[in-house]
Amino acid sequence: QTLTLAGPDNVMKLNFNSSFKAMALVSLAALLASPVSAQSKKREAQVLGLAGNVTYSAGGGGSFTPAYIGTKLREGDVIKTGGASHADIDLGDNVGVVQVAAHSTFVVKTLTTTDTGAERVTETDLDLKEGAVFFNVNKLAKASRFEITTPKGIAGIRGTSGSMTADG
């Protein structure tokens, strides 16, 4: 079908079939050209192993309960280890593993992942209040951030193994 539009200065004929196809192509191109907003999502850490007296407080505001292998840890959770104790924690999304040493208090501050399409960007902030922690952090995307805060300062860690103590 053809539609003829007459204006004061021109006459235009439109073919509905080709006009519909052209509008569909323009709409598709606009959709593909628009930036995709990446959504940040929370991730969980998980206790892989433990020995001795290991407790945690969900959200850091309640009482401490015994941790066990498989315990899920989320932002705000606090982990405490007693004497001759430790906890091995997988930080999720192939970020790495930390071991919380004996006589330590450790807070999971931030655990997020953002899939940008080109790469997976992770943000990990851990707070070592007292004691020591050992870490094995995998190579992360360039925009990722992995930090351990202590009372003495903040360490940014990139794809390495090591240890930190709260007293520096």
Side-chain angles (χ1 to χ4, degrees):
Q1 292 183 357
T2 303
L3 174 66
T4 303
L5 297 175
D9 299 317
N10 60 11
V11 174
M12 183 168 46
K13 290 187 178 185
L14 295 174
N15 181 318
F16 280 112
N17 194 18
S18 62
S19 295
F20 179 75
K21 286 179 186 176
M23 284 180 20
L25 283 173
V26 168
S27 297
L28 181 61
L31 180 64
L32 292 175
S34 67
V36 176
S37 63
Q39 288 278 344
S40 203
K41 67 177 185 172
K42 305 283 184 199
R43 62 179 205 273
E44 294 179 332
Q46 182 175 357
V47 175
L48 294 179
L50 51 81
N53 182 23
V54 178
T55 59
Y56 77 102
S57 172
S63 61
F64 283 81
T65 58
Y68 53 89
I69 294 174
T71 297
K72 303 282 187 193
L73 301 171
R74 294 168 184 82
E75 290 182 357
D77 290 356
V78 179
I79 298 92
K80 283 190 176 189
T81 56
S85 303
H86 73 268
D88 300 332
I89 301 169
D90 178 358
L91 297 170
D93 273 350
N94 199 34
V95 168
V97 178
V98 295
Q99 182 179 76
V100 184
H103 299 292
S104 297
T105 302
F106 181 79
V107 181
V108 178
K109 286 174 41 178
T110 306
L111 293 175
T112 61
T113 298
T114 305
D115 195 352
T116 65
E119 62 186 358
R120 178 170 284 160
V121 176
T122 59
E123 183 175 342
T124 307
D125 287 325
L126 309 172
D127 190 357
L128 182 61
K129 299 287 190 188
E130 62 182 345
V133 66
F134 302 90
F135 54 85
N136 184 10
V137 178
N138 297 322
K139 185 174 180 180
L140 305 174
K142 190 171 187 162
S144 292
R145 191 169 62 91
F146 189 110
E147 293 181 351
I148 298 176
T149 302
T150 71
K152 302 280 183 175
I154 299 172
I157 299 162
R158 283 231 176 278
T160 192
S161 298
S163 64
M164 274 184 96
T165 61
D167 63 3

